[in-house]
Amino acid sequence: QVQLVESGGGLVQPGGSLRLSCAASGIIFSRYDMGWYRQAPGKQRELVARITSGGSTNYAESVKDRFTISRDNAKNTVHLQMNSLKPEDTAVYLCNARYPFRLGNYWGQGTQVTVSS
């Protein structure tokens, strides 16, 4: 079984911070590219941040300089540190594990992030 389990979401005020975590099992974690996506009501799912198996990162323009993605291969875990949160960041955040050539593509159930006063 492949499982991706997100945690760390919640309600925060604008300008606050959250740290999301995704624990993976059932895959050779170090070989997968890992990503965080988000989906807000009425909007399409979008890539927030990605970290490759080699450690390269990329971010959506809207979160550059505010969010940081990292991975701990020893713990089969990927994190998303979110700082200076804005109401526009409100969404369900989903963890994704992807292997080249579409040989593997897995999703977690998501964790809710709400940024509101």
Side-chain angles (χ1 to χ4, degrees):
Q1 302 181 30
V2 176
Q3 286 191 304
L4 303 176
V5 181
E6 301 97 334
S7 61
L11 174 65
V12 296
Q13 294 184 340
S17 297
L18 282 175
R19 182 175 172 85
L20 305 183
S21 298
C22 172
S25 61
I27 61 172
I28 304 176
F29 181 82
S30 62
R31 299 184 182 182
Y32 279 73
D33 296 344
M34 301 298 298
W36 287 97
Y37 290 72
R38 68 186 181 188
Q39 188 162 25
K43 295 186 177 182
Q44 294 189 81
R45 183 177 297 179
E46 66 170 338
L47 175 68
V48 177
R50 178 181 289 136
I51 183 165
T52 69
S53 61
S56 298
T57 61
N58 62 82
Y59 300 89
E61 181 66 27
S62 61
V63 308
K64 280 185 180 295
D65 303 318
R66 298 190 298 120
F67 292 9
T68 302
I69 189 170
S70 61
R71 66 192 296 159
D72 186 342
N73 287 344
K75 297 181 178 179
N76 289 179
T77 303
V78 63
H79 303 281
L80 184 68
Q81 179 67 46
M82 305 186 295
N83 298 327
S84 302
L85 283 161
K86 304 175 180 179
E88 308 94 272
D89 296 319
T90 296
V92 173
Y93 284 71
L94 302 111
C95 181
N96 172 254
R98 186 181 68 183
Y99 198 85
F101 307 108
R102 308 192 78 172
L103 294 176
N105 193 28
Y106 304 102
W107 295 90
Q109 290 297 306
T111 185
Q112 177 71 45
V113 171
T114 302
V115 185
S116 176
S117 299

